[in-house]
Amino acid sequence: MAQSAQKTRKRVYTKEEIQRANQVDMVDFIQSHGQGTLEGHGRYFKYHVNGHDSLVIDKKLNYFYHNGQQRGDNLVALLREYEGYSFPDAVGFLLGEDLEPHKEFVEEPIGPYQQVYEQDTTYDQAQNYLRKVRGIDKDIVDFLFTNGYVIQDKKYKSAVFQWREFGLPQGEIVGATSQGTTVDYNQYGKRGTAKYIAKNSKRHYGFSITLGKPKQYLFFESTIDLLSYWSLHKELDNSRLMSLEGLKHQSILNFIQETNGYFDQLPTEGIVYGVDNDAAGHRLFDFVEERINIIGSRESDKPAENINQIPFDHEIPNQMIQLYQEAAEDFPNVNWVTLATVHKIETNYSNTNKIANNFNLHRYFAQDATSKLPNEEIDVALAVQSAAEELHAVLLDAPDPNDPVEQLVSLYVDQDESESKRQLIKEKIQYYYDDYYAGNYQRVEEISKDWNELLLQQRSEGMVTEREPLAFDPKRDGLDDYLTETFDYYLQDSPTQEAVRGMLVGKYGINVNVVNALIKKGLIRQDVNDRIVFLWNNEGEVIGGQIRGTFYNKAAFKKTAGYEKKVMDKSEEGYGFNVTLGRPDKMHLFQTPEDLLAFWTMHIDDLKDTVLFSLSNNNPDDVIKNINLKMKAGYKIKQVEFCMGNNQESLDLMDKVAQLESFDRQTGQLTTIQGDKIQFRSLRPRIGIDWLSELDEKRARMAALDRANGRAGQQLNQVVSYSRT
């Protein structure tokens, strides 16, 4: 009896003990004892645990933050709220284990982004995922892979979205998002696939695409949502679509500043926010409405319009409408639309008390945004009934009971609130009330969330076809402008080409007709400093160039054999000087423009139907990229002549190409990203180190032969004359 009467006693911990428990290093604890999975590096980690996928661990502060609830707390709270511990058990466990105390975190400066994904030779799996699983438009998918916005990772077959600066295809890659293509809900939770941001990706940035000159800025939570929106709006042009890779206020500000600064274009057609239809998405839109006021044009000080493009924003659950209508029957002064509006702005029709606005509007359904209590389920029917009862009394005594919006504003806004904020809150309430009252809503069983859901839904209903072409035409609207802005020919031309001809024809022996033809086309120029300029042509557009000095100065240019040599600023990385002859089915690759011209001179009667291409670096990936670019332009390349020199740099490059996964060393064939087989053949100088020295040796031999023939002729003449005498 005495034994059964005993009660289990829980230890009461002192304030100092609780403080010591919270000083255990949160990241170390999770790695050793956490029930979920931890992702990340540096200061911030993402923690997926028991269905929660928006917990961020701040290693510096030893604190967690729940993005979905806009609240954070310490380690004991983490164990209680997300790991299932009671408060005493959490503290006791942390004190009883030999756990590492929190260490001072010194954030290392982020290094430059390094490509960590090896590009696959095909992109079938990534393409199939985007097209078949996500429903992204075929024209858009083709555009992404063709222009280097997306590659397929060789190891995991994931779709790697490359973060190109300014959203341009030739922009520097400063980060990447890897989207897994294998769907497994058991392994990856409700998302179904793996998704990672690459290490050292640029902070406060993300994936973006620029279409023409961006008069409209568009923001999305994820790259898939961005592409889904574009698939449903193929008419988009003169826009920049940007993924925040979450909900990051600083990313919005950085993107806006960069877009305006680089393109010198204000958002004259507004700033669109296509964030998710959930509490966090609505809070973000409220934030930008209050905090982000960008000038919309240079003609006025009026701010650009912040445009709400939250998908499914006007859906109302059937069961909720029934609750509102039943409550309104008991309180004739209350319209069911008023109840729907209140529920919408407070929690976005959630059955929990998680607040869904950034103005801290809470009264009937949401809890105070400053509360540290965890969100919990509420009795929605009871909350609706309470709201109807209070609103009935308020409207009964209102000066104008026919204006419920103004009365709602008075309920939510304190007298000392600023007029500007009061106006924003009124506009938010008015927006939903007016639309609901006019019947502009959809009754649904369950509210949907994002743009990809909308795309898949409309595809299943046959509302989306791919007959409509993309309004954005890179050739017409975008790439020409980009190239002009990205590469500017900043040199002043000389009025003559004497130094060019003197060096190329006089010194090196390049065929004078070849040099004159290229000067006439503008591909070879002479600047006012008498330097040779080789411009890089890409199907009629100049995207770079390189400089070759004509004055010898061994001390100044020791590393480049005594002559100034450099690639011009803002040239397309990895491209080079090239000339197209006839209808090419071959490519000849060289190390320098001079080698290209020397080889052409020696084979001027034989060369036809080829692309002569001088590489600007020793990167094997750029070799493949340039071959693919020419094939994309419509050339049927079947063979590549690797016309490298007899030097170590040349041998290293050939060896690197031979080690590529796409290269078959037995057959000497390269498989392109389109699946074409191209035969590689090595063609090297027989006498000289390179083709320029080969041409020089050939000229020297011809001169010697001419001299020998001249002496023989003189001797023959002497013999003849002697015989006559």
Side-chain angles (χ1 to χ4, degrees):
M1 185 72 175
Q3 184 176 1
S4 63
Q6 289 181 350
K7 295 183 179 179
T8 303
R9 299 190 176 213
K10 293 285 186 181
R11 179 180 169 188
V12 177
Y13 293 99
T14 66
K15 183 178 180 180
E16 290 73 20
E17 287 175 320
I18 296 170
Q19 185 177 4
R20 188 151 45 90
N22 278 318
Q23 288 174 349
V24 169
D25 190 275
M26 192 175 289
V27 170
D28 284 345
F29 173 83
I30 290 172
Q31 289 173 336
S32 302
H33 302 281
Q35 298 177 20
T37 57
L38 195 67
E39 299 173 1
H41 58 277
R43 175 174 176 177
Y44 297 103
F45 291 77
K46 197 167 186 179
Y47 190 34
H48 306 271
V49 58
N50 295 328
H52 300 279
D53 58 2
S54 56
L55 293 178
V56 175
I57 309 299
D58 185 332
K59 188 170 177 62
K60 181 177 182 179
L61 300 179
N62 205 40
Y63 201 73
F64 79 86
Y65 190 78
H66 193 160
N67 283 326
Q69 297 180 1
Q70 285 204 328
R71 57 176 296 274
D73 218 320
N74 52 37
L75 180 54
V76 171
L78 178 75
L79 267 61
R80 289 178 59 205
E81 297 173 27
Y82 303 100
E83 301 268 5
Y85 289 79
S86 67
F87 179 82
D89 288 344
V91 176
F93 183 74
L94 293 169
L95 294 176
E97 292 286 317
D98 185 18
L99 299 171
E100 289 290 328
H102 175 56
K103 299 176 285 291
E104 181 181 358
F105 175 78
V106 179
E107 186 170 15
E108 296 180 4
I110 187 170
Y113 174 72
Q114 300 290 331
Q115 178 63 279
V116 295
Y117 302 102
E118 183 177 355
Q119 183 172 348
D120 207 346
T121 54
T122 68
Y123 51 84
D124 293 347
Q125 191 162 326
Q127 182 187 52
N128 184 71
Y129 174 80
L130 294 176
R131 291 271 295 112
K132 301 295 177 61
V133 179
R134 293 296 196 166
I136 308 302
D137 182 88
K138 180 182 184 299
D139 292 339
I140 291 174
V141 172
D142 291 343
F143 174 85
L144 295 174
F145 283 101
T146 302
N147 289 282
Y149 288 102
V150 185
I151 62 171
Q152 178 171 298
D153 174 42
K154 178 182 173 184
K155 185 175 182 179
Y156 297 106
K157 311 301 180 185
S158 58
V160 179
F161 297 102
Q162 306 196 106
W163 301 2
R164 292 192 174 274
E165 276 197 313
F166 316 116
L168 300 177
Q170 70 271 32
E172 181 184 354
I173 301 172
V174 295
T177 305
S178 173
Q179 171 62 64
T181 56
T182 301
V183 180
D184 186 337
Y185 293 102
N186 290 328
Q187 183 175 358
Y188 302 116
K190 64 180 181 180
R191 181 187 288 124
T193 56
K195 183 179 177 183
Y196 304 100
I197 293 177
K199 183 179 180 180
N200 279 5
S201 291
K202 185 176 179 180
R203 289 188 181 129
H204 307 305
Y205 212 69
F207 179 82
S208 70
I209 294 177
T210 300
L211 311 176
K213 192 158 188 178
K215 298 177 182 179
Q216 187 177 69
Y217 304 171
L218 301 97
F219 290 102
F220 303 88
E221 285 192 40
S222 72
T223 302
I224 293 296
D225 281 343
L226 180 158
L227 300 176
S228 299
Y229 183 91
W230 190 12
S231 297
L232 291 166
H233 298 84
K234 295 179 74 174
E235 73 281 1
L236 278 177
D237 206 348
N238 294 321
S239 305
R240 187 177 182 191
L241 298 91
M242 295 160 274
S243 169
L244 302 173
E245 307 301 334
L247 290 172
K248 304 168 185 173
H249 299 165
Q250 189 60 48
S251 298
I252 295 174
L253 297 172
N254 286 359
F255 267 131
I256 287 175
Q257 184 177 22
E258 177 187 87
T259 308
N260 178 32
Y262 184 80
F263 296 98
D264 191 26
Q265 176 62 57
L266 290 167
T268 56
E269 297 179 7
I271 306 176
V272 171
Y273 294 90
V275 293
D276 288 358
N277 182 26
D278 58 14
H282 284 279
R283 283 197 299 268
L284 181 126
F285 187 74
D286 288 348
F287 171 85
V288 300
E289 276 282 74
E290 184 178 6
R291 305 287 183 85
I292 297 183
N293 295 294
I294 306 300
I295 298 299
S297 71
R298 306 196 192 286
E299 289 71 35
S300 74
D301 293 333
K302 186 178 179 181
E305 181 184 5
N306 290 318
I307 302 169
N308 179 347
Q309 284 282 3
I310 298 176
F312 307 107
D313 193 26
H314 281 60
E315 288 187 347
I316 308 177
N318 273 319
Q319 60 180 2
M320 295 299 180
I321 292 179
Q322 185 176 349
L323 287 176
Y324 308 144
Q325 290 175 339
E326 289 175 354
E329 290 178 1
D330 297 332
F331 301 97
N333 282 348
V334 180
N335 189 314
W336 77 266
V337 169
T338 306
L339 297 171
T341 302
V342 168
H343 198 183
K344 173 70 176 181
I345 63 171
E346 286 199 22
T347 67
N348 196 42
Y349 302 127
S350 171
N351 62 352
T352 74
N353 57 5
K354 180 193 294 187
I355 196 164
N357 64 80
N358 209 54
F359 303 121
N360 200 16
L361 307 181
H362 65 283
R363 193 176 185 93
Y364 309 110
F365 301 93
Q367 74 168 336
D368 190 333
T370 62
S371 171
K372 287 192 173 184
L373 295 173
N375 296 128
E376 56 186 14
E377 286 194 14
I378 61 172
D379 187 332
V380 176
L382 182 60
V384 169
Q385 195 71 15
S386 298
E389 185 175 354
E390 181 177 337
L391 289 169
H392 172 75
V394 170
L395 294 173
L396 192 64
D397 299 330
D400 184 2
N402 295 318
D403 187 7
V405 171
E406 189 60 48
Q407 300 311 314
L408 289 177
V409 174
S410 299
L411 282 174
Y412 283 116
V413 182
D414 294 334
Q415 293 295 326
D416 58 351
E417 191 62 80
S418 68
E419 183 56 34
S420 60
K421 188 167 183 179
R422 188 181 193 281
Q423 185 59 32
L424 285 173
I425 292 171
K426 181 176 180 179
E427 288 173 2
K428 182 180 180 73
I429 295 172
Q430 191 91 51
Y431 173 72
Y432 291 108
Y433 183 88
D434 287 353
D435 276 3
Y436 293 169
Y437 195 81
N440 296 329
Y441 61 88
Q442 296 83 43
R443 301 174 69 121
V444 295
E445 292 304 316
E446 185 176 351
I447 294 178
S448 299
K449 182 180 178 182
D450 58 41
W451 278 103
N452 191 239
E453 287 183 73
L454 183 58
L455 173 62
L456 294 173
Q457 184 183 106
Q458 293 202 7
R459 281 203 181 282
S460 68
E461 295 171 358
M463 297 173 65
V464 179
T465 67
E466 297 186 341
R467 296 176 184 174
E468 190 73 22
L470 290 173
F472 171 68
D473 181 351
K475 289 292 183 184
R476 186 196 72 224
D477 298 333
L479 294 184
D480 293 350
D481 292 339
Y482 301 157
L483 295 172
T484 301
E485 292 182 9
T486 302
F487 175 76
D488 292 318
Y489 183 69
Y490 50 83
L491 301 175
Q492 183 179 350
D493 285 340
S494 167
T496 71
Q497 287 80 39
E498 292 179 4
V500 169
R501 291 191 177 96
M503 175 67 78
L504 296 181
V505 179
K507 180 176 177 62
Y508 292 148
I510 306 299
N511 185 288
V512 65
N513 294 324
V514 167
V515 174
N516 286 338
L518 294 175
I519 289 174
K520 186 176 180 180
K521 285 179 174 289
L523 295 179
I524 293 181
R525 299 187 183 187
Q526 178 179 323
D527 75 348
V528 291
N529 295 311
D530 292 339
R531 299 179 299 182
I532 304 169
V533 183
F534 297 101
L535 291 180
W536 300 352
N537 168 55
N538 180 25
E539 306 311 308
E541 298 298 328
V542 175
I543 62 173
Q546 58 203 107
I547 294 169
R548 170 70 150 87
T550 57
F551 295 105
Y552 182 80
N553 187 329
K554 185 175 181 180
F557 306 111
K558 186 191 304 185
K559 292 184 179 180
T560 52
Y563 289 96
E564 179 184 4
K565 293 181 182 180
K566 69 175 184 178
V567 172
M568 295 177 68
D569 293 342
K570 297 185 179 180
S571 295
E572 171 71 18
E573 186 176 355
Y575 204 66
F577 178 73
N578 64 98
V579 180
T580 300
L581 304 179
R583 302 178 66 180
D585 58 6
K586 297 186 294 294
M587 280 185 74
H588 287 74
L589 301 180
F590 302 90
Q591 285 182 283
T592 67
E594 296 90 339
D595 268 6
L596 182 157
L597 297 175
F599 183 89
W600 191 1
T601 296
M602 287 187 289
H603 300 85
I604 195 163
D605 295 325
D606 304 323
L607 278 178
K608 61 180 181 177
D609 298 331
T610 188
V611 177
L612 304 175
F613 201 106
S614 167
L615 302 168
S616 59
N617 62 31
N618 210 35
N619 187 340
D621 291 332
D622 287 329
V623 172
I624 310 307
K625 182 185 81 172
N626 292 323
I627 294 171
N628 281 320
L629 278 174
K630 292 304 178 184
M631 295 191 71
K632 175 194 164 190
Y635 302 151
K636 309 297 183 183
I637 306 298
K638 298 177 181 176
Q639 181 173 306
V640 170
E641 300 278 2
F642 223 66
C643 303
M644 298 290 108
N646 294 309
N647 53 55
Q648 192 60 49
E649 185 180 8
S650 168
L651 296 174
D652 288 344
L653 178 57
M654 288 190 290
D655 189 51
K656 289 176 183 176
V657 171
Q659 291 179 39
L660 292 173
E661 182 72 20
S662 55
F663 190 84
D664 187 332
R665 301 187 73 161
Q666 291 186 341
T667 63
Q669 289 184 330
L670 177 88
T671 303
T672 69
I673 197 167
Q674 293 88 1
D676 299 296
K677 303 285 187 183
I678 296 180
Q679 189 68 44
F680 262 61
R681 191 166 74 95
S682 177
L683 185 60
R684 293 159 65 184
R686 296 180 179 178
I687 307 170
I689 296 295
D690 51 32
W691 292 106
L692 200 58
S693 61
E694 181 92 346
L695 176 60
D696 189 54
E697 290 285 347
K698 185 176 180 181
R699 290 174 65 207
R701 291 191 178 194
M702 291 296 294
L705 183 61
D706 288 343
R707 288 194 298 271
N709 287 337
R711 287 194 298 271
Q714 289 177 359
Q715 292 173 357
L716 180 60
N717 287 335
Q718 289 176 351
V719 170
V720 171
S721 62
Y722 292 154
S723 62
R724 286 179 179 175
T725 60

